[in-house]
Amino acid sequence: MPRKQLPPRLVEQGGVWYVAYNDGGRSQRTSLRTEDLQVAQARFQGWLKAREEAVVASDPTTVSGAFALYIDQHGPSTASPETLEHVAKPLTVWFGERGLTEITRMDIERYTKARIKGDARFKRPVSPGTVRKELTILRAVWNFMAEKVEPVAVRVDKAKLCYIPLPPPQPPRNRVLDAEELA
């Protein structure tokens, strides 16, 4: 059973005050760079306000807001959070501030064609395998927003989200064996 996550709080260590909080299931600590409790409390209130504004600033009902929540809440538990951020870029460039429920299957197909052929919004064309990976992660974001996102109030009804068709998988590469492997 996982441990209960505590809310952000002030802690003192070595005479210096810190904000202790959980981020993606991991304990974090940020220095307030002061030894004075009153100054630390004032800075802590500012830290809380800035954190709240950052969460409100990204509208969770948009594609970019959904990716921000996905990366923030699910990203730290993945093998490569950097890959999520990299994959999110072309999707947020294309869909950006559009609502999750506004996107249709035709929009996804247009995105797929534009990515494979190349489009002015992207630097260069990419392989169908790359688009497949991007859309697979978009599916994961859809599922996350429908089932796992916190707070529960921002969850989206799965029936309102479109189906995401994937390009066919790439055929496996043929590998040429060297003389030792043939023997």
Side-chain angles (χ1 to χ4, degrees), residues 92-177:
T92 54
V93 164
W94 186 268
F95 296 111
E97 298 305 315
R98 291 187 58 194
L100 297 175
T101 57
E102 296 172 11
I103 296 172
T104 65
R105 185 176 181 159
M106 291 301 297
D107 294 329
I108 300 292
E109 290 171 359
R110 278 189 220 109
Y111 171 80
T112 301
K113 288 177 186 171
R115 278 297 268 159
I116 292 171
K117 290 182 179 178
D119 186 82
R121 299 180 214 184
F122 308 114
K123 292 181 181 177
R124 58 186 166 79
V126 296
S127 73
T130 300
V131 177
R132 185 177 176 86
K133 181 175 187 169
E134 293 169 354
L135 293 178
T136 300
I137 292 178
L138 185 61
R139 275 186 180 178
V141 171
W142 258 218
N143 290 330
F144 175 79
M145 290 303 292
E147 299 166 3
K148 297 181 182 176
V149 71
E150 293 295 331
V152 176
V154 298
R155 290 191 182 167
V156 179
D157 182 15
K158 199 168 192 168
K160 294 181 181 179
L161 298 174
C162 75
Y163 172 75
I164 300 175
L166 298 177
Q170 293 291 95
R173 293 183 183 177
N174 290 330
R175 189 168 158 255
V176 178
L177 301 176

Side-chain angles (χ1 to χ4, degrees), residues 3-7 22-26:
R3 286 201 280 176
K4 181 181 176 186
Q5 291 188 8
L6 298 173
N22 289 314
D23 186 17
R26 298 190 182 268

